[in-house]
Amino acid sequence: MRKRVIPPVVLTAALLLGATACSDGGDGGEDRAASSPRPGGTVSRVEESAPAPAASSAPAGSPAAADNDAVDPAAQAYVDAVAAEDLDALVAAFHPDAELTDVGRRFNGHDEIRRWADNEVIGGRLTVLKNTPKSNGTTLLVRFAPGGTGGFEANYEFDVRDGRIEKLNLQYA
């Protein structure tokens, strides 16, 4: 199965236009990636096992993930903020009283989450490999490359309340 990496902006434009952003006319023998011009840009991975969804199947700004289910908007806001290297937008995706656990380390509230994100997230590259929706959020299997290179796979479990991240648990996959 051939995999594609498509920036959220490109995929959103394709969804709005009803086009298939994954079509390249290639021979199917290798992965091809489109990424933002900055090394820290975030991309969402879409596996090309089914035709691209029509514009009506996913809301604007919420690209489909590997299993073709839309990523929860709060989780997508986090992914998009990392892509844009936008610390303020990342923090705004969280409830003011949110709790974030990064492999056992706990960060509570906007101030602690801001310091964590500024030191460890902004400037990195986050690739969504799989989306597993749940009743109050989603779990994303991601590849995160701090500083834009190298990296590791992790599960990001998002609990969402009132459209914002209430809890985020990050664990190595």
Side-chain angles (χ1 to χ4, degrees), residues 85-150:
E85 298 184 18
D86 188 338
L87 182 60
D88 291 332
L90 186 142
V91 173
F94 287 86
H95 257 278
D97 61 345
E99 178 184 299
L100 182 143
T101 304
D102 182 1
V103 191
R105 298 177 302 143
R106 293 201 191 289
F107 304 91
N108 295 298
H110 278 178
D111 291 340
E112 289 183 15
I113 291 170
R114 175 181 295 279
R115 279 191 295 279
W116 167 82
D118 193 29
N119 291 328
E120 300 185 34
V121 178
I122 298 300
R125 180 181 171 133
L126 183 69
T127 305
V128 175
L129 303 174
K130 182 178 180 186
N131 175 39
T132 306
K134 58 183 190 169
S135 62
N136 65 333
T138 194
T139 299
L140 300 178
L141 173 62
V142 304
R143 178 156 190 81
F144 182 68
T149 61

Side-chain angles (χ1 to χ4, degrees), residues 1-122:
M1 177 181 333
R2 185 169 45 166
K3 296 178 182 174
R4 301 284 185 194
V5 179
I6 302 172
V9 170
V10 171
L11 185 55
T12 299
L15 289 172
L16 291 173
L17 296 173
T20 56
C22 294
S23 177
D24 70 357
D27 65 321
E30 62 185 73
D31 287 355
R32 300 199 199 301
S35 61
S36 68
R38 295 187 305 267
T42 301
V43 294
S44 295
R45 180 174 289 273
V46 177
E47 294 186 16
E48 193 179 49
S49 59
S56 61
S57 67
S62 298
D67 58 359
N68 292 326
D69 286 330
V71 173
D72 181 280
Q76 188 64 50
Y78 177 93
V79 170
D80 291 345
V82 176
E85 298 184 18
D86 188 338
L87 182 60
D88 291 332
L90 186 142
V91 173
F94 287 86
H95 257 278
D97 61 345
E99 178 184 299
L100 182 143
T101 304
D102 182 1
V103 191
R105 298 177 302 143
R106 293 201 191 289
F107 304 91
N108 295 298
H110 278 178
D111 291 340
E112 289 183 15
I113 291 170
R114 175 181 295 279
R115 279 191 295 279
W116 167 82
D118 193 29
N119 291 328
E120 300 185 34
V121 178
I122 298 300

